[in-house]
Amino acid sequence: MSRIVAVAPVLPEHAYSQATVTEHIGPLLSADPARRGAIGRLNAASGVATRHLALPIEQYAGLTSFGQANDLFISVGLDLAEEAVRQALKSASLAPDDVDLIMFTSITGVAAPSLDALLVGRIGMRPDVKRIPVFGLGCVAGAAGLARVHDHLLGHPSDIALLVSVELCSLTLQRGDDSLANVVSCALFGDGATAVVVAGDERAASAGLTGPQITATRSWLFPGTEDLLGWDVVDSGFRIVLSPTLPAVVEASLGHATEQFLGAHGLVASDVAAWLVHSGGPKILDAVGRAIGLEPDALRLSRGVLSRAGNLSSSGVLHVLADALSSTSCAPPGSPVVLLALGPGVSSELLLLRWEGLS
């Protein structure tokens, strides 16, 4: 098994109310006053109160090329990644050279060398650290990253692994595009990063490291949904693909996948003490709740992250995990907890945790 021993969520310093975001970003999407009114109403109904952005909001009007945006992704993203990693390692009482594997995930920018490679020398990790940069998993990558780190630690139980997520969604802004998909994207997504330290069971036991134990994982692709969620890569960068049918697909398909996963471990949904679901937006969270048959307040942590930071793509579920670990009432020690995220594919990733707080 493996154990989550530290989670460090970070947000950019530039924080704005949803109304302020609407005021500045709406005109970049449409020059039509009537259309901007509709954008404002959609933003107000998004479940988002505040978002943190990679740049001061006034600078987005001058963001006109993919190359410019991607350069900012590298510079701003690297700073956020460093901050998150340093916080996570300090929380776990570990040094940079303790890290044996680093997995880096993002869907909002590209770099070669990847940001994980740039982090190694900047933070002081060993030159022989194993690296796995991942692009394309989208919002599911926070959960999938934890699952794949867990897979590595099953075979390397004395290792320390680091998952790093950086998502600067605001830098994918598509100017002059008032399509429903782009408007919804601009209403929901925010910027943030997270670092998670995960220890193999032998390392955790020898070092006295505590935290939730990952006991099982399940990946699931929903057939025939490849065109519902993702990116179209165009001259201006990443243009979102976001079908309005996505909540209905989640509601129709996720329940079966979750039931099979829990059943394989002798559980049903009512046995689960807490559900940590990525902050994908109110319609997605409603669909998840209906698909699994959850009580209305079961996803309160997810809605809390959505409200204060927006949908953080792969970092969203990791910020929810951080909130759960900082709460004294998330789940009783030893109880089953499910961490769940959705992403392009359409895909889901489920992790079964045996709950334990951090020391």
Side-chain angles (χ1 to χ4, degrees):
M1 298 301 136
S2 64
R3 194 175 291 274
I4 298 167
V5 300
V7 183
V10 298
L11 295 167
E13 62 178 324
H14 311 295
Y16 301 96
S17 69
Q18 186 75 323
T20 300
V21 174
T22 302
E23 177 187 352
H24 284 80
I25 302 302
L28 304 182
L29 303 182
S30 177
D32 180 354
R35 187 64 175 150
R36 289 207 302 271
I39 291 171
R41 290 189 294 275
L42 192 151
N43 282 14
S46 65
V48 179
T50 307
R51 277 184 283 173
H52 292 247
L53 304 181
L55 308 176
I57 200 165
E58 298 83 4
Q59 293 185 16
Y60 285 88
L63 196 62
T64 58
S65 75
F66 182 28
Q68 179 188 12
N70 201 68
D71 286 346
L72 287 164
F73 168 82
I74 296 170
S75 60
V76 177
L78 186 58
D79 287 344
L80 286 174
E82 179 182 4
E83 180 183 355
V85 169
R86 291 192 185 278
Q87 286 186 20
L89 291 175
K90 181 179 180 180
S91 178
S93 299
L94 294 169
D97 61 4
D98 286 318
V99 178
D100 300 291
L101 171 78
I102 179 170
M103 175 175 283
F104 174 79
T105 183
S106 183
I107 192 68
T108 53
V110 293
S114 50
L115 293 195
D116 51 285
L118 301 178
L119 277 172
V120 170
R122 188 162 171 170
I123 291 178
M125 287 184 273
R126 303 193 316 265
D128 66 342
V129 66
K130 300 179 180 72
R131 298 184 299 108
I132 307 176
V134 176
F135 179 90
L137 285 174
C139 296
V140 80
L146 281 178
R148 302 294 79 79
V149 162
H150 169 71
D151 292 343
H152 169 84
L153 292 172
L154 289 177
H156 301 81
S158 296
D159 277 8
I160 293 291
L162 188 63
L163 172 65
V164 182
S165 160
V166 174
E167 300 291 10
L168 302 183
C169 305
S170 68
L171 297 179
T172 68
L173 173 69
Q174 295 296 298
R175 297 164 58 99
D177 180 358
D178 64 355
S179 64
L180 180 61
N182 194 51
V183 169
V184 169
S185 172
C186 289
L188 288 176
F189 285 92
D191 298 344
T194 320
V196 185
V197 179
V198 189
D201 58 356
E202 291 181 7
R203 183 63 174 271
S206 65
L209 299 172
T210 64
Q213 188 177 50
I214 301 174
T215 61
T217 73
R218 171 70 64 89
S219 303
W220 199 274
L221 277 166
F222 304 145
T225 62
E226 297 87 354
D227 59 347
L228 300 186
L229 179 64
W231 291 131
D232 282 335
V233 182
V234 296
D235 290 344
S236 54
F238 300 127
R239 185 172 62 197
I240 195 163
V241 175
L242 181 60
S243 170
T245 67
L246 184 59
V249 169
V250 171
E251 185 172 352
S253 305
L254 182 63
H256 175 67
T258 304
E259 182 180 6
Q260 283 202 343
F261 175 55
L262 292 176
H265 302 282
L267 299 170
V268 295
S270 60
D271 295 323
V272 176
W275 295 84
L276 312 181
V277 179
H278 96 272
S279 50
K283 290 186 177 180
I284 292 297
L285 290 174
D286 289 346
V288 169
R290 289 192 296 267
I292 302 173
L294 302 180
E295 295 295 326
D297 69 339
L299 301 181
R300 62 188 180 280
L301 291 176
S302 302
R303 296 186 193 277
V305 170
L306 178 66
S307 177
R308 72 169 184 267
N311 182 346
L312 298 174
S313 191
S314 67
S315 267
V317 74
L318 304 179
H319 279 240
V320 175
L321 173 62
D323 278 7
L325 286 167
S326 67
S327 169
T328 58
S329 59
C330 172
S335 61
V337 169
V338 169
L339 186 144
L340 185 161
L342 299 153
V346 172
S347 62
S348 67
E349 194 80 31
L350 299 105
L351 285 82
L352 183 61
L353 310 179
R354 185 179 184 273
W355 195 252
E356 182 178 337
L358 301 177
S359 58

